[in-house]
Amino acid sequence: MGARVSLLRRRKSALRPARPGSAPRCLRPRRAGPGAGGAGPRGDGSPARPRGAPRPGGGMPHRTELYEGVPPTCWPIVYSPDYNITFMGLEKLHPFDAGKWGKVINFLKEKLIGDDLIVQAREATDEDLLVVHTRRYLNKLKWSFVVATITEIPPVLFLPNFLVQRKVLKPLRTQTGGTIMAGKLAVDRGWAINVGGGFHHCSSDKGGGFCAYADITLAIKFLFERVPGVSKATIIDLDAHQGNGHERDFMNDHRVYIMDVYNRYIYPGDGFAKRAIKRKVELEWGTEDTEYLQKVHTHVEGALNELKPDIIVYNAGTDILDGDPLGGLAISPQGIVKRDEVVFKAARRRGIPILMVTSGGYQKRTARIIADSILNLHNLGLIDKELAAGGAENPKVEQMIRDSVTDLTNLSLQ
């Protein structure tokens, strides 16, 4: 605990504005050499380790740049301009706003954070992806028609695969790397937000629903493999769609507790994957704020009382928003902000590190709602940098929790 307090003191300087002309402190370039993107999957011309094969060096994890140290001056908010998908307007053929991640950051820069305090996401390499994915699946992504099917953008079928890799899959690999990085940051700092990610329909050997890489599974597997003391995880999936990808990946893994709240009538309707859900909440068409927030509060509290994990992965999809063309629910912007608040309060009260990813959301206004929610979490002290490792032992958090007892038990928005 003493080391963490010391770290908190050093991070107070992060709130000071950057000096004019100073280099961004969190936007460090990837080093040349292995993992930098050379001829082979590891960037050095050598083949990737086959999935399931013994690791070099007597079982040690592979070398990755995703867990390299982040300066303590940085906020545990992860993003890269490479997240955004733009290519000849093809991204407009899918209802997903493929530039929403940059819009979220632009809104946050107006009131909260500057470029020099954001952690720059790095692209996951093949070696990183093979921690979960099969080589067979990654090879399938070298076929444009497979990527067109996964992203639900038919014209991608006609593009040369080198363009598909660069313009479609590289942004998704970078977001995946961002989720893995944010997992480590959450354990180190108490919380972290990847402004992208949340590809909860992708499993180790199958993608779908705009999800090409299993970033949630990867983040958890990296933590289990590399961070001492992390052996239990809870996934709280509040996207409007069932998170069948991570459910299939953790079907028989008792270290992972899955809570999933979703519209029962929409994609993917994966009955097999539902067997992995420990706490399943199926919603009706048009569910509104009061009922939704009461269920979220009840089941988040129940899930965390049933098992206290070492990390919470919170899939905070905004496709629950009223009017979303794919979600089928009727939650207000204020309801989404309140939902995120409920989850973070539950985590902070128990001192559990929490990683948030932004997942689905198919309206232009979702970027502003995500930013507003993050600002609300900051205003409440739930993601204040000075509280990053303080948990419920911090007096500011304890006071916030006491002040919100009534709010947690009466979730109707007045």
Side-chain angles (χ1 to χ4, degrees), residues 45-73:
S46 59
R49 175 181 55 81
R51 188 170 183 261
R55 295 185 180 278
M60 293 295 292
H62 75 279
R63 180 188 173 278
T64 181
E65 292 191 350
L66 301 179
Y67 268 22
E68 289 190 355
V70 171
T73 52

Side-chain angles (χ1 to χ4, degrees), residues 233-247:
T234 290
I235 298 171
I236 298 176
D237 195 332
L238 301 187
D239 187 273
H241 301 81
Q242 175 198 354
N244 61 318
H246 58 73
E247 289 161 9

Side-chain angles (χ1 to χ4, degrees), residues 147-348:
V147 181
T149 302
I150 290 171
T151 60
E152 302 170 346
I153 305 175
V156 168
L157 168 67
F158 303 104
L159 295 178
N161 192 258
F162 78 90
L163 282 178
V164 174
Q165 294 291 329
R166 184 185 309 164
K167 297 295 185 178
V168 180
L169 291 181
K170 180 178 179 180
L172 301 183
R173 285 192 297 268
T174 306
Q175 292 190 44
T176 297
T179 300
I180 296 169
M181 294 169 69
K184 178 64 161 56
L185 278 168
V187 173
D188 290 344
R189 311 283 186 90
W191 65 273
I193 297 172
N194 182 14
V195 174
F199 304 132
H200 65 156
H201 298 307
C202 186
S203 62
S204 63
D205 60 357
K206 186 178 181 181
F210 206 77
C211 302
Y213 302 106
D215 67 317
I216 291 175
T217 306
L218 279 159
I220 293 172
K221 289 284 184 74
F222 263 67
L223 288 170
F224 285 172
E225 189 175 76
R226 295 169 181 269
V227 180
V230 179
S231 60
K232 295 178 294 182
T234 290
I235 298 171
I236 298 176
D237 195 332
L238 301 187
D239 187 273
H241 301 81
Q242 175 198 354
N244 61 318
H246 58 73
E247 289 161 9
R248 284 176 170 263
D249 285 337
F250 293 117
M251 177 66 67
N252 297 308
D253 193 331
H254 300 294
R255 300 173 298 175
V256 180
Y257 183 107
I258 298 174
M259 168 183 161
D260 202 347
V261 182
Y262 55 88
N263 184 336
R264 68 169 72 223
Y265 300 108
I266 61 176
Y267 176 91
D270 190 335
F272 175 78
K274 289 179 184 180
R275 292 162 51 187
I277 304 173
K278 300 296 194 299
R279 189 170 285 260
K280 178 174 62 177
V281 184
E282 295 187 322
L283 302 174
E284 299 293 328
W285 288 108
T287 299
E288 297 182 350
D289 286 13
T290 300
E291 177 187 353
Y292 178 77
L293 290 169
Q294 287 172 344
K295 287 183 175 180
V296 167
H297 175 240
T298 297
H299 289 285
V300 166
E301 291 292 321
L304 296 179
N305 288 339
E306 192 170 333
L307 172 73
K308 182 175 179 180
D310 302 308
I311 181 74
I312 295 169
V313 179
Y314 172 37
N315 197 44
T318 48
D319 49 1
I320 64 172
L321 181 65
D322 187 20
D324 190 280
L326 300 181
L329 303 177
I331 309 305
S332 70
Q334 295 82 8
I336 292 175
V337 171
K338 180 65 65 176
R339 176 201 66 174
D340 295 349
E341 181 182 319
V342 167
V343 176
F344 270 77
K345 283 178 177 177
R348 299 302 293 175

Side-chain angles (χ1 to χ4, degrees), residues 45-109:
S46 59
R49 175 181 55 81
R51 188 170 183 261
R55 295 185 180 278
M60 293 295 292
H62 75 279
R63 180 188 173 278
T64 181
E65 292 191 350
L66 301 179
Y67 268 22
E68 289 190 355
V70 171
T73 52
C74 304
W75 285 66
I77 295 176
V78 184
Y79 169 74
S80 167
D82 290 340
Y83 281 13
N84 303 290
I85 300 173
T86 55
F87 183 64
M88 298 174 59
L90 287 178
E91 69 280 358
K92 297 178 182 178
L93 299 178
H94 191 282
F96 196 89
D97 180 4
K100 79 172 184 178
W101 307 286
K103 296 173 186 174
V104 172
I105 288 295
N106 287 336
F107 289 137
L108 291 178
K109 288 195 290 189

